[in-house]
Amino acid sequence: LSLEQDPVDRDLLFLGTSRGLWVSLDGGRRWMPWRHGLPAVPVTDLAVHPRDHDLVIATFGRGLYVLDDVRPLREISAAVLTEPLHLFAIPDARQHWLRAGTGGHGADVFHGESRPYGALLTVASAEGGTAEIRVEDASGQTVRTFHESLDPGINRITWGLERNAFKLSPRGAGQPPRPPDPPGPEVPPGAYTVTVKLADHEARSPVRVLPDPRSRNTEADWQARWAAVLRAGHLQDVGISAVERLRKTRTDLETVTAKIRTDAPPEAKLLLQAAHGLRTKVDALEARLRIAPEMPIGLPREDLVMEKVWAAVDNLQTSMDPPTPTLIAVIERGEKALDAYLIDLNRFYAEDVEAFRKRIAAAGLELMPGTAPLRVLDATGRIR
């Protein structure tokens, strides 16, 4: 047997036996078997890490297990377990940019499951259900919203320190749908607030995101990097909005074309020719913007507008350093390319599409919806 007393809560005991780990919350009067991630193997030694508050478990024949952050066990009580929703205090979340790999020298090399990257959220729920998790920064702005399924009892979930994703390219035919609540870039260090909402109940807790200790960034460096991330992300949002608009127009044209053929107005032939001309222009505009899944493989990419945008976005994912002058120039190149493209796109909608809308309206057919102009920068040169 191996017995370990928690250094903070003297009534919290951990007992290693020949048939696994047991836990007592009341000084040893009652014991519960621990079955979460640990098989019923002989436990030969135990230790609570004094800094990280993790329980390190040595076993016979299965190596070491680590129970991450036992502090919620110090807070558990009958009252907590009967609450509809309870969010335990969230430990500091430490960033580390270079994550450990899993390389080995053969197929028989075993790698245990690592601690999830990010902030560990421990949630008690009386009934369970699908919870909404919302993360706000120090200014109160929501940076991340995602959903997790909670079981009745104690749950451990993770916020991976990301903000919400910027707009993503629409999926083509035959491509699998994107997962819900996709994550975006990693947020900078700072103070955040996590809110868990389940039905009509909410629980909140602060959390600190700490920088990688190897980082030499000043506060100004972090702000400059985050401003660059948001600047490039705005380009992504606007560019994908243009993609969505073109694809929506293509669908609208198919609907209108089918209606023209069904209703057969007097100028049906001319309207069909006009719709075909618009469709050709839509295809040409999208071909200037990006490579779509349905386009032929092997088309040149370097001159496409979105490739210049992706260059800015992707470069910001390779380092946590502040943006260099070269990277700022890459972002500016993407802005200029997209802004110039949007001049042509907006003209197409203001002139060609609007003229077609008036023609089909005059023919008594269903109207295509109008559109507002898309822009990257306003008249003062600031991001809209």
Side-chain angles (χ1 to χ4, degrees), residues 19 66 75 96 99 138 162 171 247 250 261 321:
R19 298 183 64 83
V66 178
E75 300 179 41
H96 53 90
R99 306 179 189 179
E162 324 96 337
R171 290 293 197 179
R247 292 174 71 89
R250 187 181 288 114
R261 292 192 173 113
D321 294 334

Side-chain angles (χ1 to χ4, degrees), residues 93-96 188-190 208-215 217 222 320:
R94 173 75 68 178
Q95 293 180 322
H96 53 90
R208 291 194 308 166
V209 175
L210 305 179
D212 189 316
R214 297 167 295 181
S215 172
N217 284 5
W222 286 114
M320 284 226 177

